[in-house]
Amino acid sequence: MSSQASTELYKLAVGMVGQIVLVEFDGKDFNIADRYTRDLSSPLHLLYKEPNLLYVADQLSLDTSVFKLSQTQTEMSHISSARGTLGGRSLTFNVDKTRLVELSCMDRAGIDIWDSSAADGSLSLIKTLDIPDSGDGYFQYHMYECVLDPTGRFFVVVYSGFEDYGGYRLLIIDSKDDRYEITDSIPLDDKLGVRRIAFFEDGARTFLVVFAHESQELILYEVKYSADSFSLTDMIQRLKTEPRTNRYGQKWDVTANDLVVAPNNRDLYTLNRAELADPAAITHYMFRRSKGDGNPELRMLEWSPGYGWGADAMCLSADGKYAFIGHHTNPDLANGFGLVAFRCLPTTGVLLPAPLAAIQFHDIAFENDFGARFGPEFICEI
């Protein structure tokens, strides 16, 4: 981890409506190191580039911004912005971090391809990709996430639209030889309601996990490659993310909201958002590798309370020791948590149920001129 020296110290960048917050965690306590606030902004996706740059997508702006971090990564300063498509949602680097793919959350918007190779971190727009099968009305489709596949060649975009306007699908962007073109569009069942995806590798085989928000399922596909294409096989597994009672006798009726794969390429977690009457929860799954000619499988192991409401963000530390959970809303402003840290046991992937540390919601949330408060919606380690 770039931010650790002889002592255990983790650095986080946290995005939410109106502000970016730099947070330190020493294994026991949080410390808010710096804040950058701006009205009418929504920096909901952050991407770190070593040694000291932070890229920010703003959901309410045409600008994609670059911040420079101090040597101790406890201060940040805005150094440049570049204008692209309105409504930045997701940022993804290529392997050498000289290209940046940015999705927009807005209707009928495109995908921006940025040159991020400049020494000072500044961005230059190369082109904007048009989306196939888009509609003519308002909110006909959305793009939720972009993930780089394990080969480092294909970017996979989660796309959802009404059935008449492309339906649910995965858009495939081929980056070979700096091409950056949409080369395929893989349809998915419209009843799934896809939001998040993640890759697993099992020897020479590659698998894709699709989180289906509407059907409350995790679905496992095998990825097949040809010389110039990315495709999916038939479904290998469908696993219902149904309510369960954990080892502590606790039970909530929850649905998954985020999907995170551990650094060990074995453990997978869904962050589950409940109704505001109940706290959130974190569900732990294990990717069980295949034996012989068989297929791998996902197995649900347990879940733990998330100690907050409106769970929107989850981040695992690069060493797999800690999980950080952010809650963007909280009905209990006096006692509710905004950012929570949990101990994770790397050997088993188990999250210990008692939080190690927390920042109160009212201490980290941004309050606008109308008195509304907004908590963390994105977390990344720096």
Side-chain angles (χ1 to χ4, degrees), residues 117-168:
S117 63
D120 64 356
S122 59
L123 293 172
S124 175
L125 184 63
I126 299 173
K127 60 181 174 180
T128 298
L129 304 180
D130 293 328
I131 307 301
D133 299 319
S134 60
D136 295 324
Y138 185 62
F139 287 137
Q140 299 294 357
Y141 69 85
H142 299 281
M143 293 177 288
Y144 284 95
E145 184 176 40
C146 180
V147 177
L148 183 63
D149 84 322
T151 71
R153 174 176 175 176
F154 296 100
F155 290 82
V156 183
V157 176
V158 179
Y159 166 108
S160 68
F162 295 132
E163 187 174 356
D164 292 340
Y165 299 100
Y168 287 92

Side-chain angles (χ1 to χ4, degrees), residues 210-354:
V210 171
F211 160 52
H213 178 82
E214 297 295 336
S215 64
Q216 299 183 40
E217 292 176 295
L218 290 177
I219 302 170
L220 186 65
Y221 296 89
E222 185 168 5
V223 178
K224 293 295 185 182
Y225 295 98
S226 68
D228 291 298
S229 69
F230 173 107
S231 62
L232 301 180
T233 64
D234 294 334
M235 292 181 188
I236 293 175
Q237 182 187 10
R238 297 181 74 150
L239 179 63
K240 194 75 173 177
T241 59
E242 60 199 34
R244 294 289 181 93
T245 300
N246 68 5
R247 65 174 71 181
Y248 312 105
Q250 299 163 311
K251 183 175 181 179
W252 275 278
D253 185 9
V254 296
T255 57
N257 187 56
D258 203 358
L259 182 69
V260 179
V261 176
N264 61 19
N265 194 47
R266 180 199 66 199
D267 296 296
L268 179 142
Y269 305 88
T270 56
L271 179 60
N272 305 293
R273 181 194 296 176
E275 297 297 327
L276 289 182
D278 290 321
I282 309 156
T283 308
H284 174 210
Y285 303 82
M286 178 181 286
F287 182 74
R288 294 182 53 136
R289 282 162 170 66
S290 57
K291 295 181 180 180
D293 295 330
N295 287 321
E297 66 173 0
L298 288 169
R299 174 172 291 187
M300 179 188 288
L301 298 182
E302 61 191 350
W303 66 267
S304 303
Y307 290 91
W309 289 261
D312 241 16
M314 181 174 182
C315 172
L316 294 176
S317 62
D319 58 12
K321 291 183 178 180
Y322 299 101
F324 304 100
I325 308 298
H327 299 277
H328 84 283
T329 59
N330 203 311
D332 186 356
L333 296 180
N335 301 303
F337 292 152
L339 183 64
V340 190
F342 294 90
R343 181 76 168 95
C344 182
L345 303 180
T347 55
T348 62
V350 170
L351 293 181
L352 299 184

Side-chain angles (χ1 to χ4, degrees), residues 75 104 114 152 177 213 293 320 322 368 370:
E75 296 179 332
S104 169
W114 299 96
D177 299 327
H213 178 82
D293 295 330
Y322 299 101
N368 66 16
F370 304 99

